[in-house]
Amino acid sequence: MTSPTYRVSHLDALEAESIFVMREVVAEFERPALLFSGGKDSIVMLRLAEKAFAPARIPFPVMHVDTGHNFPEVLAYRDRRVAQLGLNLVVASVQEAIDSGTVREPADGTRNRIQTPVLLAAQEKYRFDALFGGARRDEEKARAKERVFSFRDDFGQWDPKNQRPELWSLYNGRHQPGESIRVFPLSNWTELDIWRYIERERIELPSIYYAHDRDVVVRDGMLYAVNEYLRAREGEEIVTKRVRYRTVGDASLTAAVESDADTVQKVIAEVAATRLTERGATRGDDRVSEASMEDRKREGYF
Amino acid sequence: MTAPAPVADDSRTVDLLRFATAGSVDDGKSTLIGRLLYDTKSLFTDQLAAVEAVSAARGDEYTNLALLTDGLRAEREQGITIDVAYRYFSTPRRKFIIADTPGHIQYTRNMVTGASTADLALILVDARKGLVEQSRRHAFLCSLLRVPHLVLCVNKMDLVDWDQAVYDRIADEFTSFAAKLDAPDLSVIPISALHGDNIVTRSEKTPWYDGPSLLHHLERVHIASDRNLVDVRFPVQYVIRPQSTTVTDYRGYAGQVASGVLKPGDDVMVLPSGLTSKIASIDTADGPIAQAFPPMSVTVRLEDEIDISRGDMICRPHNQPSPAQDIEAMICWMDESRPLTVGGKYTIKHTTRTARAVVRGLQYQIDVNTLHRNEGATELRLNEIGRVRLRTTVPLLADEYRRNRTTGGFILIDETTNRTVGAGIIREAS
């Protein structure tokens, strides 16, 4: 990390900023937790957390908001990583919430939207006052407006018109009981930065991020894997394609992209050349309306 | 899946420049950003398609690139930028973070948010209108926040027939205004954001202009020496003491280097206690390192067991910040519901230290247009700037802001609403 010219690379600068943010949270909050989905961004967050507190262990639990619509490779990865790091894992289960009647499954079977009340209920149950999220500002236009420390009221709501000014690196985490702060240490990272960091740190990822053969259907111009949560509709043809995932979310909503990139270097080359954002290419949930992410964030989505 | 094999890390040679855009409404900020993103191939086709579709649905005559950065419902309804949007692009030489800030006076606090961390600010003016109130206001704010590099972009030059006299007049007017400010580095570039002149490449329309294109300037402006590498300031953020059977007796002070260069073996002093020791090692998760400098986040261990906690500062025995309870500062007020008044009490956050502060006096409120000092002012309302005297409950380990942006800045927090209500820039500490 050192050099006689006192230069730091942009990855080093981003890493230093993220570590600073994580340490601030641990120093100032009572009960922080990290939202861990097994996706690449939350995996990078875990690596940063390891670095921020070494040689001590990561001093907070991780929480998985489990839609029940998981890619099995991702669940296996989650459990393996949590065990390796000796972390405490809290699972907030959407399926359990459906079974107990606290949320109702939408008619289309997708569970993205009903994650939010489950997340908020778990946050309340465990009294988490700060939740780390892996959201990046380059992902989506509502996220481009997000602060690093994002204040949420006691309903978990985001008010984009009334955000706290955020000056220098002086983050204001003050809140009343019931209110909380969502913290986004990766705010200034781009998809390409994440991949370069994965390469540099030699971070293992779930295999679905690398090219593999999978049965898919083409729907709304996107490639959806056929699985127990997503069946081919009438008139849709199931085809086998060489694909990989750019994001990991609800398996009924997250699309794959055609790709031959089966190593991290090839993925970096592909991401550097792509003309589509990762959400634009793969996320059905963002296509609901012009402001679907903003609307979900207002309700308490991370 | 096994871990990927290592390869040469070309990202090491790329550094990071943060810049903010400023200027009045309709002077073309969003178009300029759209142009920079487009010409550096950083605009994605789905983003562009989304913007085209919304533009068409609204009946706009041309694709409204402002929609790229105005992402909130309320912004699109009103056609204005309310809050800072952050955008990213890179070239082989540098990675850029753009803070696209609002032009409306009502949202000045969000412009201050974007400019507080900027290495450079782009101030746009419309060549037809010349300098307006917001150009001066934003230039003043940039100088107050010590943004090290300013670039005045005289935009819409195509609408004044690329007339050099128009450009010269605006450049002269701005240069003489900036002379009254604290603006260490100022450049002026004639551009047309809409047509892309002098944005990525030099334009043939301006044979009388011999400077670089905007992107060329952004890629090459020298920022390495903007950091303070002289005054060692290491605010202790968090004490790392593993509760573990494998790692015993470890006590490290975690933090981000605010300024200066730290090396193992250096004599250090810890404030406020004044106790001295030597740096035993500088640790990272990847192992100990030979030196640390801004903006690195590291963990420092000392040779002696001394009581140190969050909010303390590690510095050099002969180069210390002044522990001060009486602070003279410029304050930018950011709360719409209640003004700053003399006698008001607030929570103050300065580096990693939090205390309480009372406003002892308001010397003047400043008119950002004329730079006139209104000494009769009794309060600071939303977006007003003034010089105040504060008394704090515990000493702040403070430097003058012009010497150190990290140890010279603070925020004020309202104790009932918990909102960030003021940004402070330290002028004197005693």
Side-chain angles (χ1 to χ4, degrees), chain A residues 218-239:
Chain A
V218 181
R219 184 178 296 173
D220 307 329
M222 295 196 277
L223 302 177
Y224 288 98
V226 181
N227 53 39
E228 58 181 301
Y229 317 113
L230 190 139
R231 308 277 183 211
R233 293 175 187 160
E234 217 175 291
E236 284 179 340
E237 188 191 351
I238 298 173
V239 285

Side-chain angles (χ1 to χ4, degrees), chain A residues 2 6 10 16-17 20 24 28 51 144-145 168 171-172 188 193 199 275 277 280 290 294-295, chain B residues 7 14 18 41 43 45-46 73 75-76 83 88 95 116 227 237 286 291 297 310 349 418 420:
Chain A
T2 59
Y6 305 112
H10 86 274
E17 179 179 79
F20 175 84
E24 280 300 282
E28 295 214 323
K51 289 194 160 196
K145 296 275 169 179
W168 302 290
Y171 300 108
N172 176 2
N188 287 321
D193 296 328
E199 179 193 42
R275 307 298 301 134
T277 64
E290 246 315 283
E294 179 180 345
D295 295 343
Chain B
V7 295
V14 177
R18 294 172 198 251
K41 302 195 171 17
L43 201 56
T45 50
D46 55 313
R73 274 190 195 281
E75 292 177 321
R76 292 177 169 218
D83 212 332
Y88 305 83
K95 173 181 160 111
S116 70
R227 286 173 302 162
Q237 202 186 353
D286 302 314
Q291 55 184 0
S297 282
R310 175 173 165 84
K349 196 163 183 201
N418 285 329
T420 303

Side-chain angles (χ1 to χ4, degrees), chain B residues 65-197:
Chain B
L65 288 176
L67 294 171
L68 281 172
T69 51
D70 291 344
L72 300 174
R73 274 190 195 281
E75 292 177 321
R76 292 177 169 218
E77 280 159 18
Q78 297 171 55
I80 58 167
T81 307
I82 292 173
D83 212 332
V84 192
Y86 293 88
R87 293 286 158 188
Y88 305 83
F89 74 99
S90 53
T91 66
R93 292 185 74 98
R94 263 191 183 149
K95 173 181 160 111
F96 299 94
I97 300 177
I98 315 175
D100 178 28
T101 73
H104 278 82
I105 183 168
Q106 189 187 348
Y107 301 112
T108 299
R109 61 181 172 183
N110 295 332
M111 187 269 163
V112 172
T113 289
S116 70
T117 51
D119 303 304
L120 179 148
L122 297 182
I123 298 174
L124 266 82
V125 297
D126 182 331
R128 296 168 303 173
K129 297 181 191 158
L131 296 195
V132 295
E133 180 180 344
Q134 280 300 74
S135 336
R136 292 192 179 86
R137 171 184 294 271
H138 285 169
F140 173 71
L141 287 168
C142 288
S143 80
L144 195 67
L145 290 158
R146 294 286 297 177
V147 178
H149 308 276
L150 294 187
V151 180
L152 179 73
C153 294
V154 182
N155 190 23
K156 307 195 185 182
M157 283 299 296
D158 52 312
L159 299 181
V160 295
D161 296 326
W162 300 100
D163 184 347
Q164 185 185 1
V166 172
Y167 168 80
D168 285 344
R169 194 167 61 239
I170 294 170
D172 287 348
E173 195 185 349
F174 191 84
T175 310
S176 56
F177 179 73
K180 290 185 273 182
L181 304 172
D182 203 356
D185 173 37
L186 172 66
S187 308
V188 190
I189 305 179
I191 63 166
S192 165
L194 191 63
H195 301 291
D197 292 278

Side-chain angles (χ1 to χ4, degrees), chain A:
Chain A
M1 278 179 80
T2 59
S3 88
T5 56
Y6 305 112
R7 282 186 68 181
V8 291
S9 73
H10 86 274
L11 274 187
D12 287 331
L14 291 173
E15 179 191 69
E17 179 179 79
S18 302
I19 287 175
F20 175 84
V21 169
M22 288 188 162
R23 288 168 170 173
E24 280 300 282
V25 170
V26 169
E28 295 214 323
F29 288 82
E30 297 282 325
R31 297 173 73 86
L34 184 145
L35 293 169
F36 184 61
S37 63
K40 65 185 186 309
D41 300 305
S42 55
I43 291 169
V44 165
M45 277 207 298
L46 270 190
R47 169 57 58 97
L48 291 163
E50 267 187 284
K51 289 194 160 196
F53 303 101
R57 279 190 178 182
I58 294 173
F60 42 76
V62 296
M63 176 158 87
H64 181 210
V65 182
D66 180 351
T67 59
H69 289 178
N70 296 295
F71 294 94
E73 300 91 330
V74 176
L75 271 194
Y77 179 95
R78 178 196 78 182
D79 293 339
R80 196 162 67 243
R81 193 82 187 106
V82 161
Q84 274 169 3
L85 293 170
L87 295 171
N88 179 12
L89 171 70
V90 171
V91 178
S93 165
V94 174
Q95 186 62 52
E96 279 175 26
I98 293 170
D99 295 344
S100 68
T102 48
V103 296
R104 185 186 291 184
E105 185 150 32
D108 63 3
T110 61
R111 293 181 168 183
N112 204 319
R113 198 149 193 141
I114 56 174
Q115 275 184 70
T116 301
V118 177
L119 173 120
L120 295 177
Q123 179 177 0
E124 195 170 330
K125 177 179 170 191
Y126 293 99
R127 291 184 290 119
F128 293 136
D129 53 0
L131 287 177
F132 289 109
R136 309 186 321 266
R137 287 168 175 157
D138 79 322
E139 279 180 83
E140 206 280 335
K141 59 189 180 300
R143 291 208 158 143
K145 296 275 169 179
E146 183 63 276
R147 298 284 193 259
V148 175
F149 271 43
S150 179
F151 174 80
R152 302 300 170 102
D153 66 15
D154 51 6
F155 296 96
Q157 297 179 108
W158 181 57
D159 182 359
K161 279 178 86 170
N162 192 22
Q163 301 194 74
R164 290 176 175 172
E166 197 159 81
L167 295 121
W168 302 290
S169 51
L170 294 169
Y171 300 108
N172 176 2
R174 295 264 160 151
H175 61 282
Q176 303 286 342
E179 299 169 346
S180 65
I181 307 286
R182 300 286 168 83
V183 183
F184 302 110
L186 303 179
S187 286
N188 287 321
W189 297 56
T190 63
E191 184 185 13
L192 195 54
D193 296 328
I194 293 288
W195 277 104
R196 291 219 161 106
Y197 195 72
I198 286 164
E199 179 193 42
R200 183 179 101 174
E201 299 289 316
R202 302 185 217 178
I203 298 171
E204 186 200 333
L205 292 184
S207 57
I208 67 170
Y209 279 111
Y210 298 101
H212 56 283
D213 292 326
R214 197 176 274 262
D215 288 344
V216 297
V217 294
V218 181
R219 184 178 296 173
D220 307 329
M222 295 196 277
L223 302 177
Y224 288 98
V226 181
N227 53 39
E228 58 181 301
Y229 317 113
L230 190 139
R231 308 277 183 211
R233 293 175 187 160
E234 217 175 291
E236 284 179 340
E237 188 191 351
I238 298 173
V239 285
T240 305
K241 284 194 184 287
R242 189 123 182 103
V243 298
R244 68 175 203 87
Y245 285 84
R246 283 174 75 182
T247 67
V248 166
D250 186 320
S252 65
L253 273 173
T254 308
V257 293
E258 277 197 273
S259 171
D260 285 319
D262 55 3
T263 66
V264 67
Q265 289 83 12
K266 288 183 194 169
V267 172
I268 288 172
E270 187 183 282
V271 170
T274 183
R275 307 298 301 134
L276 282 178
T277 64
E278 64 180 81
R279 287 203 158 257
T282 68
R283 295 299 275 263
D285 41 338
D286 289 342
R287 299 197 166 185
V288 178
S289 84
E290 246 315 283
S292 42
M293 175 68 84
E294 179 180 345
D295 295 343
R296 273 181 286 142
K297 283 168 64 64
R298 281 173 181 273
E299 291 168 7
Y301 189 72
F302 77 96

Side-chain angles (χ1 to χ4, degrees), chain B residues 404-424:
Chain B
N404 198 315
R405 271 173 107 177
T406 307
T407 53
F410 61 83
I411 57 170
L412 295 177
I413 298 169
D414 185 294
E415 296 186 332
T416 49
T417 63
N418 285 329
R419 289 215 295 248
T420 303
V421 291

